[in-house]
Amino acid sequence: MLKKPIAMAVLAVLSCAVQAADDADLAVIRSQIEELKKSYEQRIASLEEKLARTQAGSAVNRSDKPAVADQPVPGKASGFNPEVSLILQGRYKSMKDVAERGITGFVPAGGHAHEDGGIKGISKRGFSVDHTELMLSANVDPYWRGQAILAMADGEVEVEEAWVQSLAIGHGVGLKAGRYLSGIGYLNEQHPHAWDFADAPLMYSALFGEHGSYAQDGVQLKWLAPTSMMLEFGAEVGRGANFPGTDRNGNGIGASAIFAHIGDDVGVAHSWRAGLSYQRTRARGREAEVHDANDVHGEALFSGESKTWLADFVWKWAPDGNPKYRNFKFQGEYFNRRESGDIGCESDEAGAACSGVRDLYRSRQSGWYAQAVYQFTPNWRAGVRYDRLNSGSTKIGANALAEIGNENAMFKDFRPSRASLMVDYGWSEFSRVRLQYARDRSMAGITDNQVTVQYIMSLGAHGAHKF
């Protein structure tokens, strides 16, 4: 009977001991928490005190030395770090020495077919340096991005592009203002170093001249639709100073364009894009050198409208969607251009038939090219391209025709063509050398077998090329 009370007493003692131990542990934990709180409060108070002293010192410095405060802070100035790239291109070209090189049946886009023995930029034989391009680009702030591309050649510097682009409008809307390559067609927005051949297709040379592209000073608006299939619409308005238009000192719009692009993937390995574009521009006194009816040198001056439709299509293939080792690209474009207005010729030389009388001018021209490029190893590519133009129909009023004559190459009925083969080797995406052969029949009565060796080197930051 005594055992039961003893056991109960032992259990009571043990319970009190455990409770006492638990209370001691809790007291220790509470003590540690309090110490941590005090420590952090002291550190926070110390930091706040340092911040107050620093702000007070800065205020004193600003009030005592305003000139120093106005100077840029070195750390912030170095925060502007634009992307910089330099494109180096050079070539050797072997071709016939043609005194008045151009494209028969088409008005020279440069205006003067006789300059330096032909159209500037396409008549240079032997060794030469192509455009050297310097590009600077960076985000201005979270809302805008800017880019400038300067082209340097033979002591001249030209602003190829200089624009700002919106980043924060949203809803698939993009706004660009300044000088930019127009969004019409497929190849037009690409710079020469991104071309698959050493020169532009005949179509682009006939449409826009030696650079093979149309640059616009103005505003461009694009909208990318929120659809699974790529669907893009764009519109542009601008100065319209470049061929086929002319520069003018006036208010308003000199050129406009609209375009639409659609594209999609077909499985993993295939993708495509198609587009349709329309450009309208105005010319006033657009010059072209002629020999008048008396075979005297003069200037044919056109004033009126130029309207161009362009259609483009691109198909790409790469095994499993990876183009690094093998890929294939087919692209083609077609254009139809109509011009209407009046024309006349003027000359300062003795015996000239040109008197400046103006009369009706109408023309309708078209053309296309198609090309295919196959990369069969990570470094080697080969390609073929065929160009075909149609000078179409040109109508000149009787009064102007009597003075200008009908023997000038730009007014002849002709179908220029050219076939090109190329092979190139790329050590990397930044360095490439190319060999190209072309059988050029773009001039009436002349077959010109041309051989071109070209190198392209890209230094510095360089963004991905367009699709």
Side-chain angles (χ1 to χ4, degrees):
M1 295 294 294
L2 291 174
K3 290 181 179 180
K4 186 173 181 180
I6 294 173
M8 294 296 292
V10 170
L11 288 173
V13 171
L14 290 174
S15 175
C16 291
V18 170
Q19 183 66 35
D22 290 343
D23 291 342
D25 290 341
L26 290 173
V28 170
I29 293 172
R30 291 192 184 96
S31 175
Q32 291 175 348
I33 291 174
E34 290 297 328
E35 290 178 1
L36 287 172
K37 288 173 66 177
K38 291 179 181 179
S39 174
Y40 277 111
E41 288 174 354
Q42 291 173 355
R43 293 176 62 183
I44 291 172
S46 176
L47 290 173
E48 288 177 344
E49 183 180 355
K50 287 182 180 180
L51 178 61
R53 287 199 304 266
T54 303
Q55 290 175 336
S58 298
V60 171
N61 290 336
R62 284 196 297 270
S63 60
D64 293 343
K65 301 177 181 180
V68 175
D70 290 340
Q71 295 177 357
V73 180
K76 292 184 178 180
S78 63
F80 175 65
N81 187 22
E83 303 163 12
V84 181
S85 69
L86 184 67
I87 308 297
L88 302 176
Q89 297 183 91
R91 71 179 184 184
Y92 173 85
K93 190 166 187 176
S94 173
M95 60 183 180
K96 288 184 177 180
D97 185 11
V98 179
E100 299 180 9
R101 182 176 291 275
I103 302 175
T104 302
F106 290 79
V107 175
H112 299 277
H114 303 284
E115 182 178 359
D116 298 327
I119 298 176
K120 181 181 178 182
I122 69 172
S123 302
K124 192 174 290 186
R125 303 189 301 158
F127 290 100
S128 64
V129 175
D130 289 343
H131 273 76
T132 299
E133 291 184 357
L134 176 64
M135 183 185 77
L136 303 171
S137 61
N139 286 357
V140 180
D141 52 32
Y143 312 100
W144 295 95
R145 179 173 179 80
Q147 177 173 294
I149 298 180
L150 306 178
M152 298 164 283
D154 297 329
E156 298 180 354
V157 179
E158 179 184 6
V159 179
E160 284 199 347
E161 291 193 79
W163 47 258
V164 293
Q165 185 178 37
S166 65
L167 298 176
I169 295 178
H171 307 289
V173 177
L175 179 67
K176 184 183 290 186
R179 177 172 298 177
Y180 52 86
L181 293 180
S182 174
I184 59 176
Y186 172 71
L187 198 66
N188 192 75
E189 286 188 297
Q190 299 182 17
H191 285 265
H193 67 269
W195 296 347
D196 294 316
F197 289 80
D199 44 24
L202 285 180
M203 166 182 157
Y204 274 88
S205 297
L207 283 174
F208 307 127
E210 59 170 304
H211 294 316
S213 59
Y214 184 77
Q216 176 77 294
D217 291 358
V219 178
Q220 180 191 78
L221 186 67
K222 287 185 178 181
W223 178 59
L224 184 64
T227 57
S228 58
M229 175 181 289
M230 192 280 287
L231 187 60
E232 179 187 64
F233 299 93
E236 303 169 354
V237 292
R239 187 177 185 86
N242 295 327
F243 189 90
T246 57
D247 200 1
R248 63 196 185 96
N249 182 21
N251 299 320
I253 296 170
S256 58
I258 56 174
F259 50 86
H261 300 128
I262 185 173
D264 204 357
D265 296 327
V266 180
V268 177
H270 301 269
S271 57
W272 61 274
R273 199 199 84 162
L276 184 65
S277 310
Y278 172 74
Q279 180 199 52
R280 177 181 177 273
T281 186
R282 295 191 61 84
R284 182 177 300 171
R286 190 181 71 195
E287 298 180 358
E289 291 195 359
V290 295
H291 289 281
D292 66 16
N294 294 341
D295 199 26
V296 176
H297 175 259
E299 299 283 347
L301 305 175
F302 165 75
S303 295
E305 284 189 337
S306 180
K307 302 176 181 179
T308 305
W309 286 94
L310 298 100
D312 61 85
F313 179 77
V314 182
W315 184 282
K316 292 185 178 183
W317 166 84
D320 299 321
N322 181 7
K324 181 178 180 181
Y325 301 100
R326 284 190 302 147
N327 65 77
F328 174 81
K329 179 172 70 171
F330 171 85
Q331 74 183 61
E333 297 188 69
Y334 169 84
F335 85 92
N336 186 290
R337 181 173 67 186
R338 298 184 182 186
E339 293 190 329
S340 61
D342 57 66
I343 195 170
C345 70
E346 299 177 356
S347 177
D348 296 330
E349 298 187 17
C354 294
S355 67
V357 62
R358 308 195 66 79
D359 210 333
L360 175 73
Y361 178 86
R362 298 283 188 276
S363 71
R364 180 175 179 177
Q365 300 175 316
S366 61
W368 58 273
Y369 78 91
Q371 69 181 55
V373 176
Y374 177 53
Q375 179 180 306
F376 48 93
T377 75
N379 304 104
W380 287 96
R381 303 190 312 162
V384 59
R385 181 181 68 190
Y386 185 74
D387 303 90
R388 185 77 170 186
L389 305 180
N390 184 354
S391 64
S393 59
T394 300
K395 183 178 180 180
I396 302 176
N399 294 328
L401 184 62
E403 295 187 356
I404 297 175
N406 55 9
E407 296 302 317
N408 292 282
M410 71 185 74
F411 302 128
K412 287 186 176 180
D413 183 8
F414 187 63
R415 288 171 172 75
S417 66
R418 183 177 63 188
S420 305
L421 298 172
M422 81 83 186
V423 60
D424 61 27
Y425 180 86
W427 289 268
S428 69
E429 59 182 308
F430 304 105
S431 58
R432 186 179 302 277
V433 64
R434 175 179 291 135
L435 174 65
Q436 179 175 307
Y437 166 77
R439 188 172 181 82
D440 190 322
R441 292 179 174 175
S442 61
M443 298 165 287
I446 299 176
T447 298
D448 191 6
N449 296 310
Q450 304 172 351
V451 177
T452 304
V453 180
Q454 180 190 39
Y455 68 81
I456 304 173
M457 304 289 170
S458 301
L459 289 72
H462 194 74
H465 293 148
K466 295 181 179 295
F467 175 84

